[in-house]
Amino acid sequence: MPPKKHIDLQQVVQTAIEVADENGLEAVTLASVAARLDIRIPSLYNHVEGLPGLRRELALWAAQNLADELRRASVGRAGKDAIWSLAIAYRKFARTHPGVYPITRKAPEADDAEMMKASEELLEIVYAVLRPYGFNDADLIHAVRALRSVLHGFVDLETAGGFEMGYDRDESYERLVRMFTDALELHGYGKQP
Amino acid sequence: MPPKKHIDLQQVVQTAIEVADENGLEAVTLASVAARLDIRIPSLYNHVEGLPGLRRELALWAAQNLADELRRASVGRAGKDAIWSLAIAYRKFARTHPGVYPITRKAPEADDAEMMKASEELLEIVYAVLRPYGFNDADLIHAVRALRSVLHGFVDLETAGGFEMGYDRDESYERLVRMFTDALELHGYGKQP
DNA sequence: TTTATAGTCTAAACATATTAGTTTTGAGTG
DNA sequence: CACTCAAAACTAATATGTTTAGACTATAAA
């Protein structure tokens, strides 16, 4: 009779993160996670509500941790400096967690309050970085969407292996982010006079 | 004895496209496609090499058709005008095929010549639109990566439902693309003097 | 008319997910 | 210290999906 493992939710999520980052998000199955924890599949149901529940925990972890990293990066900085730091942290998260990152694309279920909150907090960090520029509501929204598009577009293509080899991707990212900060400074990214 | 259906690869792919765009890429299974074609699952193996094969055909179709649309949009135009038209066509493809679009993220397998070719042709269209700007090799690559990031980032977030409601997304996209074209004009996006 | 083949099918094996119900550990209580 | 009991593991059974093997049949070509 084998002794109890007394696995908790945190271990389950941590294992799912490992599987995702080693073998891709599609490799995160109840079977692969259970095998790695050396327990049977049904035992996972003590911790998560099936595969959808496991995915939800993974998405929640991703949103919360990405938000933490972005907050840490941008706190105490302002303007171009804050955006730059945010951009570096964003890309670093995606490169550290190439398998987990893509799950952040999924919009949260409206009935999942915790997930909605994490999603909103993540978004709020981006708002906070751009708010000091003094945009009106509409311009701020457009600028936030632009920044999110730029960051997500680059790191998503990069982690998916979508860029050709041979030229420095750091340099590409720097120029892309600078394009955004320059646009902000040069003509306020749509700011009304 | 039921009469033969004589389904061909094109019908299989078309059905997969329908399933993807109606119910999402994850809903594209041999089971769902076979059911829609009113044949048994094993019969699909006459047309595609299992589920990986079906996904590959879908990815090939996506790359070829996106390339067609982009080519059609940018041919006969130059400079900002060509970029603008390309951007509109890119987003239109994603919105017309929200379920198929995400499969374009996947980098092609190096041993799949047809897929590699489609991927390269797609990339070449973006190069063609930016080449007249007269960049050196490195600058051109950075600019192409930037344009791809901008287009993919926005469109991917939009089709994933990642943008908040209530403000005009067309306007957001226009401003984002204009940011890129302005950057090209104002300081050549890294062009050496 | 015959034959070859392409396309369909059934059957069976395997993997994953899920539910139901059982067992066991070990932590807290009397 | 012994008991209880809830949490966490388990086995078993079912459903859905993928894959392979092999048989059948309609049709097009010889």
Side-chain angles (χ1 to χ4, degrees), chain A:
Chain A
M1 238 121 293
K4 274 203 183 179
K5 305 266 160 48
H6 260 276
I7 284 155
D8 63 6
L9 176 59
Q10 200 191 333
Q11 282 172 275
V12 173
V13 174
Q14 207 55 45
T15 305
I17 293 165
E18 288 171 20
V19 173
D21 289 334
E22 287 172 27
N23 304 324
L25 194 52
E26 331 72 46
V28 178
T29 62
L30 295 183
S32 65
V33 171
R36 207 173 270 232
L37 289 167
D38 197 28
I39 58 176
R40 296 303 118 92
I41 297 172
S43 306
L44 282 174
Y45 283 77
N46 289 312
H47 307 288
V48 295
E49 293 184 350
L51 184 58
L54 178 61
R55 295 221 179 98
R56 185 262 182 189
E57 295 299 331
L58 202 52
L60 183 62
W61 181 92
Q64 289 175 340
N65 276 265
L66 177 54
D68 282 352
E69 298 294 338
L70 297 187
R71 216 181 333 255
R72 189 190 328 278
S74 59
V75 70
R77 297 172 192 267
K80 190 162 57 171
D81 191 30
I83 295 171
W84 187 258
S85 186
L86 181 90
I88 297 295
Y90 192 94
R91 180 167 176 237
K92 186 176 178 190
F93 179 88
R95 287 162 63 106
T96 308
H97 297 290
V100 173
Y101 174 75
I103 211 174
T104 63
R105 292 183 336 134
K106 208 171 63 81
E109 306 285 338
D111 61 355
D112 185 340
E114 197 178 12
M115 192 66 225
M116 286 292 286
K117 174 159 173 278
S119 229
E120 280 157 20
E121 282 185 16
L122 182 52
L123 189 58
E124 173 53 30
I125 295 165
V126 184
Y127 272 93
V129 160
L130 294 182
R131 199 169 281 120
Y133 282 88
F135 296 124
N136 63 38
D137 285 1
D139 286 343
L140 178 58
I141 293 221
H142 294 309
V144 165
R145 287 175 178 174
L147 180 52
R148 291 180 64 204
S149 296
V150 161
L151 301 183
H152 169 65
F154 187 94
V155 308
D156 194 49
L157 289 174
E158 184 182 32
T159 58
F163 289 141
E164 331 81 281
M165 309 273 158
Y167 283 86
D168 188 7
R169 293 194 305 273
D170 295 357
E171 170 80 13
S172 293
Y173 193 60
E174 282 172 26
R175 292 199 192 187
L176 177 62
V177 174
R178 187 154 48 239
M179 172 182 74
F180 179 81
T181 56
D182 284 356
L184 234 48
E185 289 187 355
L186 291 176
H187 47 89
Y189 199 76
K191 186 173 178 181
Q192 312 295 347

Side-chain angles (χ1 to χ4, degrees), chain B residues 6-174:
Chain B
H6 260 277
I7 284 154
D8 63 6
L9 176 59
Q10 200 192 334
Q11 282 173 277
V12 172
V13 174
Q14 206 55 46
T15 304
I17 293 165
E18 288 170 21
V19 172
D21 289 333
E22 287 172 28
N23 304 323
L25 195 51
E26 330 74 46
V28 177
T29 62
L30 295 182
S32 66
V33 171
R36 207 174 270 231
L37 289 166
D38 197 28
I39 58 176
R40 296 304 116 100
I41 296 172
S43 305
L44 282 174
Y45 283 76
N46 290 308
H47 307 288
V48 294
E49 293 183 351
L51 185 58
L54 179 60
R55 295 222 179 97
R56 183 263 183 191
E57 295 299 332
L58 202 51
L60 182 62
W61 181 91
Q64 290 175 338
N65 276 264
L66 177 54
D68 283 352
E69 300 292 341
L70 297 187
R71 214 178 339 251
R72 191 190 325 279
S74 59
V75 70
R77 297 172 192 268
K80 189 162 59 171
D81 191 31
I83 295 172
W84 187 257
S85 187
L86 182 90
I88 297 294
Y90 192 95
R91 181 167 176 237
K92 185 177 177 190
F93 179 88
R95 287 161 63 104
T96 307
H97 297 290
V100 173
Y101 174 74
I103 212 174
T104 64
R105 293 182 338 133
K106 209 171 61 81
E109 307 285 337
D111 60 356
D112 185 341
E114 197 179 11
M115 191 66 225
M116 286 293 285
K117 176 159 172 278
S119 231
E120 280 158 20
E121 282 185 15
L122 182 51
L123 190 57
E124 173 54 30
I125 295 166
V126 184
Y127 273 94
V129 160
L130 295 182
R131 199 168 282 121
Y133 282 89
F135 297 125
N136 63 39
D137 285 1
D139 288 342
L140 179 57
I141 292 220
H142 294 310
V144 165
R145 288 176 177 173
L147 179 52
R148 290 180 64 204
S149 296
V150 161
L151 300 183
H152 170 65
F154 185 94
V155 152
D156 195 47
L157 289 175
E158 183 181 31
T159 58
F163 288 141
E164 331 80 280
M165 308 275 158
Y167 283 85
D168 189 6
R169 294 194 305 272
D170 294 357
E171 170 80 12
S172 293
Y173 193 59
E174 283 173 28

